[in-house]
Amino acid sequence: PEGPEILAALSLLHQRGRLGLRVRFMPPAGMLGTLRAVGLRQGFGDDWLRLGPVKAFADGSLGSLTAALESPYSGLETPEYRGELLLDRSAVEALAVEAARTGFALAIHAIGDRACREVLDALEASRADGGAVEGLPHRIEHAQLLTPADAERMGRLGVVASMQPIHLLSDRRPAERYWQGRTDGAYATRWLVQAGAVLAFGSDAPVEDPDPLRGVWAAVTRRPWPSGDPDDETLDAWHPEHGLSVVEALRAYTHGAAWAVGEAARQGGLKPGMPGDVVLLSPDPVGLERGLPPGGWTSDDERAAAARERLARVRVLATVVGGRVVHTA
């Protein structure tokens, strides 16, 4: 999460008319006291700069081997090591109640299956103490490793799965090395869709490439981006059972992202009264799905390979923000 100095800089850019994109600022949990003291709530601001949910961290990451796991990491010299849990159930429960009383939902970073379970346990328990604000869903940031039961709970509890599918391209090899025997729950987007959970996709920039089209590629094909690297070219789709359709992926980047900040009624689509935020893509990525063989994008059929080749060539021809053209190819 970013601190007050970043919010001040964004506010200054907005005041000077130089904020060229819509920002939902997620205050860190440490700012809750200040926000409560001055009476600010989630949603304060305008269509360009608005306060979003409060950000907190329940564990670390796969890359640093600090994601909190239910069972030990594979292939380490410390065979019982399970990562680092930064916030347990009681801490998250207390934070959810404090945030709700201040008028905020939570956006909690949780990557490992244990961290995700602790967060879901806490959010479910906090309901009895008023740990939620109507219309503002809690969200788990990343949710990179889930059990089927916890994927189902995310749908039942209305917890948004705020994920970055582009991560699965770079995380595949370390996940297979250190999460052996459980990667069927890695980036388990199909389980989440089947559970009725809302997917909200993003890029996690600057950690990853901010291009959402690469994220769409990752979500639907679950294959390496076609870079010419011979080591990547030989890889099959990674857990193809979780592959999404292009429509599902685009919806997660648009409607899902708006839902995640409680703004689906006024953002994230093309309806009367919504801002005119549009991109023009070519070739049409939705049309590329027509005529795919059984298995869809992840199939090894020649038709699927041809469709993937065209999907990788989709480009933005024009970008319109608030009805104003801000980019043309």
Side-chain angles (χ1 to χ4, degrees):
E2 306 295 353
E5 68 284 355
I6 301 300
L7 180 57
L10 291 168
S11 299
L12 185 60
L13 287 171
H14 185 23
Q15 184 180 25
R16 294 177 176 177
R18 296 175 58 191
L19 192 62
L21 72 167
R22 304 186 193 279
V23 176
R24 299 301 177 259
F25 177 82
M26 293 194 293
M31 285 183 65
L32 266 175
T34 301
L35 294 167
R36 183 167 54 252
V38 297
L40 293 181
R41 303 172 63 87
Q42 184 171 335
F44 178 80
D46 61 19
D47 281 345
W48 289 96
L49 179 58
R50 196 184 299 276
L51 289 179
V54 163
K55 182 74 179 289
F57 288 81
D59 68 347
S61 68
L62 167 59
S64 63
L65 304 184
T66 51
L69 305 182
E70 295 279 14
S71 55
Y73 280 81
S74 308
L76 298 183
E77 294 181 359
T78 49
E80 295 305 312
Y81 178 70
R82 289 174 166 81
E84 299 178 14
L85 190 67
L86 305 179
L87 294 175
D88 62 12
R89 168 181 165 166
S90 61
V92 175
E93 185 177 351
L95 183 58
V97 172
E98 182 186 4
R101 290 175 179 171
T102 309
F104 287 83
L106 292 182
I108 305 187
H109 167 116
I111 288 181
D113 51 358
R114 182 187 175 191
C116 291
R117 175 180 57 79
E118 294 269 349
V119 168
L120 290 170
D121 286 347
L123 296 180
E124 187 167 16
S126 73
R127 290 181 164 195
D129 296 321
V133 180
E134 185 175 357
L136 299 180
H138 295 304
R139 51 200 267 191
I140 291 182
E141 298 296 318
H142 310 305
Q144 289 180 6
L145 186 62
L146 292 169
T147 62
D150 282 342
E152 185 278 330
R153 275 208 297 171
M154 289 188 73
R156 177 166 52 83
L157 297 175
V159 176
V160 173
S162 176
M163 305 174 78
Q164 302 74 34
I166 195 171
H167 275 310
L168 72 86
L169 303 183
S170 55
D171 281 355
R172 175 176 183 163
R173 284 189 171 92
E176 289 177 338
R177 177 178 180 183
Y178 298 114
W179 292 352
Q180 291 178 19
R182 53 198 140 176
T183 58
D184 57 334
Y187 302 91
T189 47
R190 181 54 59 194
W191 288 352
L192 290 162
V193 169
Q194 291 172 340
V198 172
L199 298 177
F201 285 168
S203 68
D204 209 26
V207 176
E208 291 281 6
D209 189 321
D211 183 356
L213 294 176
R214 294 203 176 202
V216 169
W217 165 275
V220 303
T221 74
R222 298 183 70 97
R223 291 173 181 261
W225 180 259
S227 62
D229 185 332
D231 289 338
D232 286 344
E233 295 298 329
T234 60
L235 292 175
D236 295 328
W238 193 42
H239 291 289
E241 66 275 13
H242 289 304
L244 300 180
S245 70
V246 168
V247 170
E248 288 172 324
L250 291 175
R251 182 174 175 81
Y253 274 106
T254 53
H255 174 81
W259 182 279
V261 288
E263 298 184 36
R266 60 174 182 263
Q267 301 269 2
L270 291 176
K271 296 180 180 179
M274 288 188 174
D277 297 342
V278 182
V279 290
L280 179 62
L281 304 177
S282 180
D284 171 17
V286 177
L288 295 178
E289 289 191 309
R290 301 190 185 101
L292 285 178
W297 293 102
T298 60
S299 168
D300 288 327
D301 188 284
E302 289 184 3
R303 290 169 294 169
R308 286 195 300 271
E309 182 181 354
R310 295 194 68 197
L311 183 64
R313 291 190 280 112
V314 172
R315 296 292 181 268
V316 176
L317 299 184
T319 303
V320 180
V321 180
R324 183 171 64 90
V325 176
V326 298
H327 164 78
T328 56

